[in-house]
Amino acid sequence: MLMVPVRQLGEAERGAVERLLDLEPYAAAQVAERIAAHGLSWWRADGRVYGYGSGREIESLCWVGGQLTPVRATASAISAFGELLAAEDRFCSSIVGRADEVLGLWEQLSAHWGPARDVRPNQPLLATGAQPPIPVDPDVRPVRPAEVDLLFPAAVAMYTEEVGVSPLAEDGGRSYRRRVADLVRARRAYARFVDGQVVFKAELAVVTRRTAQIQGVWVAPGWRGRGIAAAAMAAVVADALTRVAPTVSLYVNDYNVPARRVYERCGFQPVGTFATILF
C-alpha cells in the first residue's frame, strides 16, 4: 500500500511544480520546457506529472510521457512512483534523469517493464555559463530553413548511431523530420557545411529560462580525428550563451572519452550524473 499519496498534478499546482523544477535547472530541463510550453492541464500536455508528498506538500515529481523522468525523487518517492507505474503498461521509450533516481526506479520497474534495450548508468551531466576559452569555428552557424534537406540525413545518422535504432522505423521518419524542421525554424540547429554536406551538427534540444541543453552532437565519419569538434562546439556554446540562455548544459556517456575532452576544452564543468534506460 502507498503510505503517502501519489497524485497527478494539475494547473492549480503549477507554482509548486515550478519551484521544484527551479531547484534542478539542468537535470529537470526537459520537464521544465514542456511545462512552460503546455502547463499541467492534462488535455494540453504531452505527458502527466505526478507529485509525491504528504498533505498539500510536493517534494518529488515524476514526468510520465514518451520519456519518464523523476525529479528530486527521494527513496520513498521512488518506491511510491515505482508501485504506481508497475501497475501500468510501459509506453515510454526511455527513463532519463539523475542516476540514483533513474536506477532506483528501474530496480523496481525492471521486473514489470523489462528487459531494457540498453542501460547507461553513468552519464556525466555538464554545464557552463562562461564563454568558451578556445577559439570558435566561424563556419558553424544556425541551419537555415532551406537547408533542412541537407541536415536531415546527418540527423538520422546521429540518432541511429547514438540511440541504436533508426528514427525512420516508426513512421518513415515523418515525425522526426518535423522535429528537425522545428529546431531549424527556431534557430536551435547548428551545422558546418562543406561542399553541401554536413560535417558537424548539434542542436539546442531543450531550452528553458535557465539553460539551453545541447544534444545531437555529431561529426561526419570522414571528418573524425581531424580536430574540428572542439572549435565547432565552442561556436555552439558561444552563440547559445549570447542569444538563447544564461547557461548551456549537456550529458554524455562516460565511455565517450573524446567527447568528454572536447566538452572540457569548451569550459563545461560537472554538475551531476545522469542515467538512461532505453527500450
Side-chain angles (χ1 to χ4, degrees), residues 71-144:
V71 177
R72 296 189 73 81
T74 60
S76 55
I78 289 170
S79 179
F81 291 142
E83 184 175 340
L84 175 75
L85 295 167
E88 300 184 2
D89 291 333
R90 176 188 64 79
F91 62 89
C92 64
S93 60
S94 62
I95 307 175
V96 181
R98 287 202 178 271
D100 56 342
E101 300 172 35
V102 166
L103 297 176
L105 199 52
W106 180 234
E107 186 176 352
Q108 287 192 244
L109 293 173
S110 58
H112 306 277
W113 286 6
R117 183 168 53 81
D118 194 9
V119 176
R120 301 177 181 181
N122 183 7
Q123 298 173 301
L125 178 64
L126 311 172
T128 181
Q131 285 290 331
I134 61 174
V136 306
D137 184 338
D139 294 324
V140 173
R141 57 170 174 79
V143 178
R144 301 174 185 127

Side-chain angles (χ1 to χ4, degrees), residues 206-227:
V206 177
V207 173
T208 72
R209 62 187 179 84
R210 304 290 298 277
T211 195
Q213 191 174 95
I214 298 175
Q215 295 180 17
V217 180
W218 181 83
V219 175
W223 285 75
R224 293 173 189 175
R226 300 194 192 186

Side-chain angles (χ1 to χ4, degrees), residues 22-248:
D22 274 343
L23 299 175
E24 292 285 2
Y26 308 120
Q30 296 183 45
V31 178
E33 181 187 53
R34 289 183 172 110
I35 290 175
H38 300 294
L40 289 163
S41 299
W42 65 267
W43 62 87
R44 295 181 60 201
D46 54 351
R48 296 165 285 160
V49 177
Y50 288 103
Y52 171 90
S54 54
R56 296 179 61 86
E57 296 297 317
I58 303 171
E59 63 183 65
S60 301
L61 303 173
C62 190
W63 169 271
V64 183
Q67 173 181 299
L68 176 63
T69 299
V71 177
R72 296 189 73 81
T74 60
S76 55
I78 289 170
S79 179
F81 291 142
E83 184 175 340
L84 175 75
L85 295 167
E88 300 184 2
D89 291 333
R90 176 188 64 79
F91 62 89
C92 64
S93 60
S94 62
I95 307 175
V96 181
R98 287 202 178 271
D100 56 342
E101 300 172 35
V102 166
L103 297 176
L105 199 52
W106 180 234
E107 186 176 352
Q108 287 192 244
L109 293 173
S110 58
H112 306 277
W113 286 6
R117 183 168 53 81
D118 194 9
V119 176
R120 301 177 181 181
N122 183 7
Q123 298 173 301
L125 178 64
L126 311 172
T128 181
Q131 285 290 331
I134 61 174
V136 306
D137 184 338
D139 294 324
V140 173
R141 57 170 174 79
V143 178
R144 301 174 185 127
E147 296 169 324
V148 171
D149 286 343
L150 299 177
L151 177 63
F152 187 64
V156 170
M158 176 281 304
Y159 187 101
T160 305
E161 190 174 322
E162 172 63 22
V163 180
V165 296
S166 172
L168 307 180
E170 187 171 336
D171 60 358
R174 288 186 296 275
S175 60
Y176 187 62
R177 184 183 176 84
R178 282 195 298 272
R179 169 64 173 165
V180 172
D182 287 345
L183 289 169
V184 170
R185 276 193 295 272
R187 300 187 71 210
R188 287 165 52 174
Y190 298 82
R192 177 182 172 187
F193 295 91
V194 175
D195 297 328
Q197 301 293 315
V198 174
V199 301
F200 167 87
K201 67 165 286 292
E203 61 244 10
L204 307 180
V206 177
V207 173
T208 72
R209 62 187 179 84
R210 304 290 298 277
T211 195
Q213 191 174 95
I214 298 175
Q215 295 180 17
V217 180
W218 181 83
V219 175
W223 285 75
R224 293 173 189 175
R226 300 194 192 186
I228 73 167
M233 272 296 297
V236 175
V237 171
D239 184 72
L241 289 175
T242 300
R243 187 174 58 83
V244 181
T247 68
V248 179

